[in-house]
Amino acid sequence: MAAISASTYPAAGVSPFSQRSATSSSGGIRNLSRILAVSTERGGRGTGFGENGKHEKQKLNQKVVKEESEVKPNIYANPEKLPEFEEDKKWLKDYFEECKEMIRSDGCPPRWFSPLECSSFTSPDCPLLLFLPGIDGTRLGLIMHHHKLGKMFNVWCLHIPAQDRTPFNELVKLVERTVRSENCRSPNRPIYLVGESIGACLAISVAAPNPDMDLVLVLSNPATSFSRSQLQPLIPLLEMMPDEFPINLPYILSLATGNPLTVLMDNVVKKGSLPQIIGELSQDLATMSSYLPVLADIVPRQTLLWKLNLLKSGSACANSCLHAVKAQLLILCSGRDQLLPSQEESQRLQKALLDCEIRMFDESGHFLFLEDNVDLVTIIKGASFYRRGKHFDCASDFMPPTPSEFKKLHDSISWVLTATSPVMLSTLEDGKVVRGLAGIPSEGPVLFVGYHMLMGFEVIPLVAQIMMERNILVRGIAHPAMFVRVKDRRPPEPELSDFDILRVMGAVPVSAANFYKLMSSKSHALLYPGGIREALHRKGEEYKLFWPDKSEFVRMAARFGAKIIPFGVVGEDDFAEIILDYNDLMKIPWRREEIERVTSRTAKLRTDASGEIANQQMHIPWVLPKFPGRFYYYFGKPILTEGMKVELREKKKCDEMYLHIKSEVEGCIDFLKNKREKDPYRNLLSRALYQASHPGSTSPFHLPSFDL
């Protein structure tokens, strides 16, 4: 069995799910009657709702039932019109408004809350997610993510009041009691600890003494680097200053860093009221660190001093037990964190921990979860960190992309679609070839089997167009290199985050077990028998199939009565010409060593194969770009396997079916190679001129081509 090659990452570009966009949005302030939350007290489960809580929950449940009962058209048909954010998303203004209400009347000890907007959607089999807040201590740190988290998790948020003085070790005990209690309640379900700065230290300190528990840690800018930050020297400064001295957090930061922007912000806000500060600072500031003046007003001076000491003790505690942490970790790191050296710290933690991945957000500040375009759910899905059991199940644990996630995907690849202007042809049941994808069966299981173009550039337009035109998600069976992190990665080894975009769209690592799960769940799956060898072919091997001799996938497809769709794709020779292939690169000593090193560190496939298909060297050929041509896809007539399970047990019959499918793929390629010669819009310039003269023809998929 083969897969989508790991070389597809140049086609996808940098994942839009792990990079922050500069676009900012704002939302209106929600009615404060909706900020109710269910308190679970000190690690216990909530025993009931008040009358208002019942009313709010009933309204939310009615809304969900109404939305599920409505039959909606294919919303993916026009990605440009898809919403950038979900309808129920809250905004930064909501955070500050709810913080104000909370501070006025909060004199209770630390306790758990379950947001109402989460509790209405939660399924009984969803894992528990415990949010451990950062320096602000409020339960509202994930307020902009509640609407999506509640559909995947049972969310509890720890709230530490501003006047509370619970020491760090007692906070660890509080969280640990909750984790142990819930683990006993659901021993086969993971528990997620999402921590920000000091909350990340809490999560590490809880995970270390509990190595046998199934914990998943998602840590944003961990405060384990406190001793090397600009904050630690401020503790004695705060202790020495008299109470009447007008000092607050932005003023302290200006003294420590000499940042003129910070000084300016301090002058703007230190005499303003909280509503004025919110109005001024939420207008057009690039990073969340710009909201520190507001946080300084929320956190009184004595509380600030206590928080800094809490950071100090928490950092020391977490660092002392790092060696004992066995949990799965995902570290989210901001590139413009003005409080902590987060970039350097993430690299240090990754080396110190056994199972740790990093996602970088170069344009973000310290308060990552309050960024408009940081989506925690998408990050977790893209990193393949979401699961309901002991191990990730590609069928039952997969959450399809939301409209906003698909919009981000489409926006990130729009340049690819414009450059390639794909022509899609399919075959109806009666054998008639038609434009578009009407010949693709709606009901699964369906298995697409075809030719893997150079570098896998054809994958993204294929998946995107089938989603837009038929509302069908095609799940790729991909090379393990897209899922396994390599320790001490060095170029040209790709970052694992480069493939987040494909994992969000449902790609799974190649294996017989995953193939079985996709077919049994009636999915539409994409398989390339030629795999890496086909995608990283040599000079003069364009459109040549490198399939193994064994009929690997036929029996499995027949077992579930899958419809097999052979397809061909051409166009790579209109975009690039290979100037240095594998054979050429192996003659260069330093390149040969590099290829051998990368190949040795990559998961091996087809170890029992012989001939060219066994040649699985991981390398990137050097190519010379051409003036863009066009991609052409042709999906052949579906091959039905229902009722052939017994018949295909015979090796001879199975081999005949396998060779028939291979012959169909070759026929599709030959058909396209001949037809494209008659396409007057094969060249990008001719297509641009057509679009200029036909203003309504903006979609790259709907431009004319050859006659059928």
Side-chain angles (χ1 to χ4, degrees):
M1 188 184 302
I4 297 175
S5 79
S7 64
T8 55
Y9 68 91
V14 179
S15 173
F17 304 125
S18 61
Q19 298 292 325
R20 180 183 182 276
S21 169
T23 304
S24 63
S25 299
S26 61
I29 300 174
R30 302 291 194 267
N31 191 310
L32 292 180
S33 65
R34 296 184 58 83
I35 66 174
L36 300 172
V38 184
S39 173
T40 59
E41 299 304 330
R42 283 183 171 267
R45 194 178 292 273
T47 56
F49 293 82
E51 291 302 317
N52 288 338
K54 289 181 180 178
H55 182 61
E56 291 296 327
K57 184 175 182 180
Q58 184 179 12
K59 287 197 299 182
L60 286 170
N61 283 332
Q62 290 174 350
K63 181 179 179 181
V64 174
V65 172
K66 181 180 179 181
E67 289 178 350
E68 290 179 350
S69 64
E70 294 176 352
V71 178
K72 298 180 179 180
N74 180 11
I75 60 174
Y76 300 101
N78 296 299
E80 298 84 2
K81 298 181 180 180
L82 289 175
E84 187 174 359
F85 303 103
E86 279 70 17
E87 180 182 357
D88 297 330
K89 179 182 175 69
K90 289 191 175 182
W91 305 95
L92 188 65
K93 290 183 178 180
D94 299 292
Y95 167 81
F96 284 114
E97 287 295 324
E98 297 189 21
C99 277
K100 287 194 298 181
E101 293 297 315
M102 189 182 306
I103 291 170
R104 290 173 186 170
S105 58
D106 196 355
C108 301
R111 60 206 184 277
W112 297 102
F113 285 84
S114 179
L116 278 183
E117 56 266 41
C118 295
S119 60
S120 300
F121 301 102
T122 305
S123 171
D125 63 341
C126 287
L128 176 66
L129 183 148
L130 302 178
F131 172 63
L132 310 177
I135 192 171
D136 64 324
T138 72
R139 66 173 190 260
L140 302 171
L142 295 181
I143 189 172
M144 298 171 70
H145 309 271
H146 288 166
H147 63 297
K148 292 186 68 175
L149 287 172
K151 299 175 184 178
M152 297 170 54
F153 297 98
N154 180 14
V155 181
W156 293 8
C157 301
L158 180 63
H159 178 62
I160 306 173
Q163 303 301 327
D164 182 75
R165 296 297 182 262
T166 303
F168 184 81
N169 62 324
E170 291 300 320
L171 292 175
V172 172
K173 292 177 183 178
L174 187 155
V175 177
E176 192 171 11
R177 282 197 302 269
T178 303
V179 168
R180 289 181 175 177
S181 172
E182 292 303 310
N183 184 66
C184 290
R185 194 190 306 270
S186 304
N188 297 319
R189 199 172 298 156
I191 297 176
Y192 285 72
L193 301 180
V194 177
E196 180 182 53
S197 62
I198 184 64
C201 295
L202 266 176
I204 292 172
S205 300
V206 170
N210 298 284
D212 297 329
M213 289 188 188
D214 188 7
L215 300 178
V216 180
L217 274 58
V218 181
L219 311 180
S220 172
N221 299 318
T224 47
S225 61
F226 180 77
S227 62
R228 304 188 308 278
S229 73
Q230 60 185 354
L231 295 178
Q232 180 170 350
L234 305 180
I235 296 178
L237 181 63
L238 272 175
E239 292 173 341
M240 291 187 301
M241 290 295 178
D243 293 340
E244 59 271 13
F245 193 85
I247 190 169
N248 55 20
L249 186 55
Y251 183 74
I252 292 173
L253 289 179
S254 71
L255 293 177
T257 63
N259 188 338
L261 177 59
T262 308
V263 178
L264 176 61
M265 291 193 317
D266 175 63
N267 292 332
V268 169
V269 305
K270 63 184 178 182
K271 292 187 179 180
S273 63
L274 186 56
Q276 291 172 334
I277 294 171
I278 296 174
E280 293 176 10
L281 294 182
S282 61
Q283 294 296 319
D284 194 30
L285 299 179
T287 64
M288 294 313 302
S289 59
S290 303
Y291 291 98
L292 281 173
V294 182
L295 294 176
D297 285 349
I298 292 174
V299 180
R301 176 178 169 177
Q302 290 303 317
T303 299
L304 174 60
L305 178 58
W306 170 261
K307 294 286 186 181
L308 291 177
N309 281 298
L310 197 66
L311 282 170
K312 181 179 180 180
S313 59
S315 175
C317 180
N319 281 308
S320 67
C321 61
L322 275 179
H323 64 281
V325 176
K326 309 298 181 186
Q328 186 181 15
L329 275 92
L330 177 63
I331 297 178
L332 311 182
C333 172
S334 297
R336 295 189 178 183
D337 189 345
Q338 297 182 13
L339 299 182
L340 300 168
S342 295
Q343 285 186 320
E344 297 83 354
E345 182 65 6
S346 64
Q347 299 297 326
R348 183 184 77 90
L349 291 176
Q350 187 177 51
K351 293 178 181 178
L353 298 165
L354 292 176
D355 187 3
C356 179
E357 293 185 25
I358 298 175
R359 292 298 181 271
M360 287 290 302
F361 300 85
D362 294 330
E363 301 302 318
S364 295
H366 179 76
F367 299 99
L368 191 62
F369 294 141
L370 295 178
E371 299 267 5
D372 285 346
N373 287 310
V374 172
D375 190 326
L376 180 58
V377 166
T378 306
I379 294 167
I380 291 174
K381 289 163 61 175
S384 295
F385 264 58
Y386 183 71
R387 52 187 172 88
R388 295 183 177 93
K390 291 288 184 182
H391 305 285
F392 175 76
D393 187 303
C394 67
S396 62
D397 290 333
F398 175 65
M399 303 294 290
T402 64
S404 63
E405 288 171 343
F406 183 73
K407 180 178 177 62
K408 289 180 181 178
L409 163 69
H410 183 269
D411 291 346
S412 70
I413 63 169
S414 59
W415 66 273
V416 178
L417 303 180
T418 300
T420 59
S421 298
V423 176
M424 299 275 181
L425 308 176
S426 61
T427 309
L428 303 180
E429 291 183 0
D430 59 3
K432 181 181 179 181
V433 179
V434 295
R435 298 188 187 279
L437 301 171
I440 304 298
S442 299
E443 298 295 326
V446 173
L447 180 64
F448 296 89
V449 181
Y451 168 68
H452 214 358
M453 276 206 312
L454 180 67
M455 307 287 286
F457 279 113
E458 84 285 353
V459 176
I460 296 297
L462 183 153
V463 173
Q465 180 60 12
I466 294 179
M467 188 80 166
M468 288 187 287
E469 186 171 334
R470 296 298 311 278
N471 197 19
I472 294 173
L473 178 62
V474 177
R475 304 190 61 186
I477 302 174
H479 195 281
M482 294 170 51
F483 299 85
V484 180
R485 183 178 63 84
V486 178
K487 274 280 189 182
D488 303 321
R489 185 198 70 86
R490 289 185 291 172
E493 295 170 314
E495 289 280 2
L496 201 57
S497 60
D498 292 337
F499 304 112
D500 284 2
I501 185 174
L502 298 180
R503 289 192 291 269
V504 168
M505 295 300 294
V508 301
V510 59
S511 71
N514 285 339
F515 189 24
Y516 176 92
K517 291 174 181 177
L518 290 180
M519 293 294 98
S520 63
S521 61
K522 297 185 177 182
S523 300
H524 287 66
L526 173 62
L527 179 69
Y528 291 105
I532 287 289
R533 179 60 183 86
E534 205 165 85
L536 303 179
H537 59 70
R538 322 299 188 236
K539 296 175 183 177
E541 294 179 346
E542 297 86 359
Y543 312 122
K544 180 180 179 181
L545 301 186
F546 289 91
W547 288 22
D549 296 330
K550 296 181 180 179
S551 51
E552 299 172 319
F553 58 86
V554 175
R555 284 195 181 95
M556 185 72 79
R559 179 174 182 174
F560 296 98
K563 307 171 188 69
I564 301 176
I565 301 183
F567 73 92
V569 55
V570 301
E572 65 174 80
D573 50 346
D574 279 346
F575 282 82
E577 177 184 357
I578 300 176
I579 55 175
L580 290 178
D581 62 10
Y582 169 76
N583 297 325
D584 298 320
L585 295 173
M586 289 297 286
K587 297 175 183 178
I588 306 173
W590 65 273
R591 291 292 295 177
R592 180 176 64 251
E593 295 175 1
E594 190 176 77
I595 292 172
E596 292 173 350
R597 173 177 56 82
V598 174
T599 302
S600 66
R601 288 156 57 90
T602 304
K604 304 296 187 297
L605 298 176
R606 292 194 171 120
T607 55
D608 58 342
S610 58
E612 277 299 315
I613 192 61
N615 193 347
Q616 299 282 320
Q617 282 81 3
M618 302 293 291
H619 71 287
I620 303 296
W622 291 18
V623 299
L624 181 66
K626 294 182 177 180
F627 192 75
R630 200 171 192 180
F631 281 178
Y632 302 85
Y633 298 78
Y634 175 30
F635 297 92
K637 183 179 179 180
I639 299 173
L640 306 181
T641 64
E642 189 172 3
M644 301 180 66
K645 178 179 178 181
V646 176
E647 180 182 352
L648 291 176
R649 286 178 181 173
E650 298 182 24
K651 185 178 185 303
K652 182 179 179 181
K653 293 287 186 181
C654 189
D655 290 344
E656 288 177 356
M657 173 69 79
Y658 180 72
L659 292 176
H660 172 62
I661 296 170
K662 183 178 180 181
S663 175
E664 287 291 306
V665 172
E666 292 173 330
C668 291
I669 294 174
D670 291 338
F671 175 86
L672 291 174
K673 288 169 68 177
N674 291 329
K675 280 291 186 179
R676 70 172 177 175
E677 299 297 331
K678 303 174 183 178
D679 183 4
Y681 303 102
R682 179 176 172 180
N683 185 279
L684 177 62
L685 180 59
S686 60
R687 296 196 299 272
L689 292 174
Y690 177 86
Q691 287 181 300
S693 59
H694 298 75
S697 303
T698 57
S699 173
F701 290 101
H702 299 150
L703 296 177
S705 60
F706 48 76
D707 294 329
L708 293 176

